[in-house]
Amino acid sequence: MNETLIKLHELMGYIQNGSEGCITFYQDECTKNYHIVRKYTLAGKTIWDEHGASLEEAINVAHAKHGKDYLL
């Protein structure tokens, strides 16, 4: 698995450690930035929203800030 996919996997969290959230991606129509958003699964409340000029950059930014939050 390449490094970007590993980072994405770490951002997603793990069911085994009680992570209850989902990751979504979108590209902002105005800024053209890519966003990665983590929300609580049931409540739909945004936990965090990080962005970058490319999808890979957005993943790297999110991982730098939140990547270790969900590791076992």
Side-chain angles (χ1 to χ4, degrees):
M1 195 173 347
N2 75 30
E3 186 178 335
T4 302
L5 288 177
I6 291 169
K7 289 178 181 179
L8 183 57
H9 186 253
E10 290 175 356
L11 288 170
M12 290 173 57
Y14 301 90
I15 248 176
Q16 294 91 338
N17 74 355
S19 296
E20 61 172 83
C22 63
I23 297 287
T24 57
F25 305 91
Y26 71 92
Q27 185 179 26
D28 185 278
E29 191 174 327
C30 295
T31 65
K32 305 297 186 227
N33 283 332
Y34 289 85
H35 287 253
I36 298 179
V37 181
R38 182 168 178 87
K39 293 185 176 192
Y40 288 111
T41 304
L42 299 175
K45 180 181 177 187
T46 299
I47 301 169
W48 49 258
D49 181 343
E50 304 298 345
H51 64 276
S54 68
L55 185 54
E56 186 171 10
E57 182 182 333
I59 291 169
N60 288 334
V61 168
H63 189 267
K65 293 181 179 180
H66 311 287
K68 303 302 179 196
D69 295 352
Y70 304 103
L71 293 176
L72 289 173

